[in-house]
Amino acid sequence: MVLSKTTGSGDLQNTVHSTFASRYAQSSIPRFRIPDQEIPKDAAYQIISDELMLDGNPRLNLASFVTTWMEPECDKLIMGSLSKNYIDMDEYPVTTELQDRCVNMIARLFNAPLGDGEHAMGVGTVGSSEAIMLAGLAFKRKWQNKRKAEGKSYDKPNIVTGANVQVCWEKFARYFEVELKDVRLKKDYYVMDPYEAVEMVDENTICVCAILGSTYNGEFEDVKLLNDLLLKKNKKTGWDTQIHVDAASGGFIAPFLFPELEWDFRLPLVKSINVSGHKYGLVYPGIGWVIWRTKQDLPEELIFHVNYLGADQPTFTLNFSKGASQVIAQYYQLIRLGYEGYKSIMENCQANAKFLTEGIKKTGRFDILSKDIGVPLVAFSLKDRSQHSEYEIADNLRRFGWIVPAYTMAPNAEDVSLLRVVIREDFSRTLADRLVEDIKNVLKYLDARPPHIIEAVTEALVEKDPSLKSPEESKLDVIKAKAASAVSALLEPHSEKSLRAWKSFALPKTNGTC
């Protein structure tokens, strides 16, 4: 993209400026206020494009479940529909019809009890976060209506989840004033325990949320066991506690990889399911879906009817205006790939996850925390963290371009830190092989360095004594030996001297943690 300035006339015309020689590229524009003057479109494009180069590469962002590649034909459909407002159903009736087709296809994929010609109840959302809010509101309103009819209090609703739920469930609980009762994790058991979940259920529980694909390690929770245990408790207590399945990650995986697994509407207490179309639904962000078992599971009073867009239009969303392009893209993927196409892609993701798992296992340095039945990802933790940490590995992998998250497990398992690689459609076997080699290179690099705690103390010693800032190699070895000695003292139990040394030297260099 070139911005030119022409001087002279006729044969004397000369082009004297390119974008990068113009004043628009030679001086900074305001960052936090609107500029006083307009600038040429070429310059605006170039300024933004140049800054965006500093973003990470989405294809190498292995932290994200979100789709980063679609076919060029679908890209064309998306570009052609960017100006369509999905909420204008009367103006865009075909888009509305496509949304309805998607809802029905997904409902049948989840084994909704629909007869021939019967339409499913569901809606497209911006993502699973909005879908979860809508499903939670439906459960809350149904519970309130039932309590009112029985003449009982209805001001203290609660919801039971595992501590490993995504933060959107905490948002739902806080935004809509529902107590969140979470089942804490256990060592070597990093999902919700159905027995403990059912034990937590009381007469104020609006539903139990099960996760089909934990954010932490991709593991599927046992929805079938949860359903069976709840049926028994409901029969014993006379309550009618039901289940919502958060299938944001696993909803487009389980039907194709584990078709015999019972987690969906085949279980009588599962009343609603959310799924992210922009994850393994293979659509760019943001599109999600929430499907209800029957029309009776969505209270009518939550549906609004508007007519100021040209006709009576029922709507149940948290937002109003929304782009139509992602709905169209989802329909494209569903008819383009069909059942066999999705199955083939998910099987390939699963195979690449197994390949990467084996490569990481062969290093001998990691425990694998992900499961065979779950989302195709690899979650792994260092066997020995006394020398280096998962955070150092994640940081050094960025030198090779990889974005791999390091994090700790949910409450009661925070002592477990891990790395996670999400295997998406565009993560090839070649990339998996390359990642394993780069992990080995990082381990080799870290092994050649002093342990992180000694490095922190060494830096603190050098900083405290300015004469040591440019030491010769022999003196540096002495400093590191002192640091190692300080670390040994630190590890002595009940040592006041070591604690003072730690506070004086190491603590300021590590922000209070090591």
Side-chain angles (χ1 to χ4, degrees):
M1 188 72 67
V2 177
L3 173 68
S4 300
K5 177 181 178 182
T6 303
T7 61
S9 60
D11 295 337
L12 298 178
Q13 277 191 344
N14 294 303
T15 300
V16 295
H17 283 133
S18 73
T19 299
F20 297 107
S22 73
R23 64 185 176 90
Y24 305 108
Q26 290 176 337
S27 60
S28 299
I29 61 171
R31 296 176 65 188
F32 302 113
R33 64 175 177 84
I34 298 176
D36 295 329
Q37 304 294 329
E38 63 179 314
I39 63 175
K41 59 181 183 295
D42 314 67
Y45 170 84
Q46 198 66 58
I47 288 168
I48 297 171
S49 177
D50 288 349
E51 278 206 87
L52 288 174
M53 288 193 298
L54 299 174
D55 266 348
N57 184 336
R59 291 280 303 279
L60 299 181
N61 180 8
L62 306 182
S64 178
F65 292 83
V66 174
T67 297
T68 53
W69 178 86
M70 296 188 76
E71 293 175 328
E73 290 77 9
C74 194
D75 288 347
K76 291 178 185 177
L77 288 171
I78 290 172
M79 292 302 297
S81 58
L82 282 177
S83 61
K84 287 185 180 181
N85 188 356
Y86 162 69
I87 203 64
D88 292 342
M89 300 179 186
D90 192 52
E91 285 77 3
Y92 306 119
V94 174
T95 299
T96 302
E97 169 67 19
L98 297 187
Q99 190 258 185
D100 189 49
R101 293 179 194 176
C102 289
V103 165
N104 278 275
M105 289 180 182
I106 295 169
R108 286 173 169 80
L109 185 67
F110 295 165
N111 295 292
L114 298 169
D116 292 339
E118 189 177 355
H119 280 248
M121 176 58 74
V123 66
T125 59
V126 174
S128 271
S129 292
E130 184 188 5
I132 283 166
M133 304 287 171
L134 299 177
L137 282 171
F139 277 111
K140 181 181 178 182
R141 184 56 58 89
K142 282 167 54 184
W143 174 83
Q144 288 176 325
N145 290 343
K146 185 173 185 291
R147 298 283 290 184
K148 287 178 186 178
E150 295 171 347
K152 298 178 180 177
S153 62
Y154 53 90
D155 60 336
K156 295 181 180 179
N158 68 65
I159 186 170
V160 176
T161 71
N164 56 313
V165 292
Q166 215 262 3
V167 70
C168 58
W169 282 101
E170 296 177 46
K171 288 183 178 181
F172 164 75
R174 192 177 302 176
Y175 293 168
F176 297 105
E177 298 180 321
V178 176
E179 180 191 0
L180 185 68
K181 299 170 69 173
D182 58 337
V183 178
R184 297 303 171 102
L185 306 188
K186 306 172 186 175
K187 182 175 174 57
D188 300 326
Y189 192 84
Y190 302 124
V191 291
M192 179 179 71
D193 183 333
Y195 289 97
E196 289 191 27
V198 172
E199 185 66 28
M200 283 186 175
V201 168
D202 59 31
E203 62 179 350
N204 292 320
T205 302
I206 63 173
C207 76
V208 180
C209 167
I211 306 175
L212 200 75
S214 172
T215 296
Y216 291 89
N217 69 341
E219 186 174 354
F220 291 170
E221 292 182 344
D222 194 338
V223 189
K224 175 70 164 62
L225 177 58
L226 176 65
N227 177 86
D228 295 346
L229 294 173
L230 264 180
L231 282 172
K232 291 179 181 177
K233 184 158 188 173
N234 286 344
K235 185 176 181 180
K236 180 179 178 181
T237 61
W239 302 335
D240 187 25
T241 310
Q242 301 167 346
I243 298 171
H244 173 84
V245 179
D246 180 354
S249 300
F252 276 108
I253 293 169
F256 306 107
L257 292 183
F258 315 108
E260 302 305 315
L261 183 69
E262 293 184 56
W263 62 273
D264 53 18
F265 292 123
R266 285 171 288 183
L267 303 175
L269 292 183
V270 173
K271 300 300 180 179
S272 56
I273 300 171
N274 70 276
V275 65
S276 292
H278 59 221
K279 292 183 180 177
Y280 287 94
L282 307 180
V283 177
Y284 294 137
I287 181 71
W289 303 92
V290 56
I291 311 294
W292 284 272
R293 184 184 190 87
T294 67
K295 293 180 180 179
Q296 290 70 40
D297 293 306
L298 175 58
E300 176 64 30
E301 64 263 37
L302 293 179
I303 302 172
F304 291 82
H305 294 265
V306 298
N307 62 10
Y308 44 76
L309 294 175
D312 179 70
Q313 298 174 7
T315 176
F316 179 38
T317 56
L318 294 182
N319 65 303
F320 197 63
S321 294
K322 180 174 64 177
S325 54
Q326 264 62 25
V327 171
I328 294 167
Q330 183 73 83
Y331 184 67
Y332 172 90
Q333 292 290 54
L334 290 171
I335 66 167
R336 158 77 176 90
L337 296 172
Y339 186 90
E340 288 302 321
Y342 269 98
K343 185 173 186 289
S344 176
I345 289 169
M346 300 311 154
E347 286 176 342
N348 186 59
C349 289
Q350 185 184 48
N352 284 337
K354 288 181 178 179
F355 177 83
L356 182 61
T357 297
E358 291 306 312
I360 291 172
K361 276 183 180 178
K362 286 178 182 176
T363 67
R365 304 286 289 273
F366 299 99
D367 291 319
I368 303 298
L369 304 182
S370 43
K371 306 295 181 180
D372 291 336
I373 298 180
V375 178
L377 60 78
V378 186
F380 52 108
S381 181
L382 278 167
K383 291 182 177 180
D384 179 7
R385 295 205 300 274
S386 63
Q387 302 297 307
H388 306 292
S389 71
E390 288 83 359
Y391 296 94
E392 288 178 287
I393 293 172
D395 187 50
N396 281 277
L397 280 173
R398 282 181 176 266
R399 295 190 294 117
F400 298 93
W402 301 108
I403 302 173
V404 177
Y407 53 95
T408 57
M409 278 286 188
N412 276 27
E414 300 100 323
D415 59 317
V416 178
S417 54
L418 63 157
L419 297 149
R420 186 194 68 207
V421 174
V422 178
I423 309 299
R424 300 189 301 268
E425 178 188 9
D426 55 352
F427 186 79
S428 65
R429 188 65 59 88
T430 301
L431 287 177
D433 197 34
R434 180 72 262 168
L435 178 59
V436 170
E437 291 304 310
D438 288 339
I439 289 172
K440 290 178 182 177
N441 289 333
V442 166
L443 290 171
K444 184 178 180 181
Y445 169 74
L446 291 175
D447 288 344
R449 298 172 57 194
H452 50 78
I453 189 170
I454 294 179
E455 281 205 331
V457 175
T458 299
E459 284 184 42
L461 288 169
V462 171
E463 187 173 295
K464 196 161 186 75
D465 185 351
S467 68
L468 302 176
K469 284 195 173 179
S470 300
E472 333 93 36
E473 191 171 335
S474 59
K475 192 181 289 186
L476 184 61
D477 289 338
V478 173
I479 297 169
K480 287 185 177 179
K482 287 183 179 179
S485 177
V487 171
S488 297
L490 173 68
L491 298 177
E492 291 177 15
H494 313 298
S495 170
E496 289 188 23
K497 182 179 178 181
S498 66
L499 184 58
R500 286 198 303 272
W502 171 247
K503 286 183 177 179
S504 175
F505 297 125
L507 192 59
K509 304 298 293 182
T510 59
N511 293 321
T513 61
C514 181

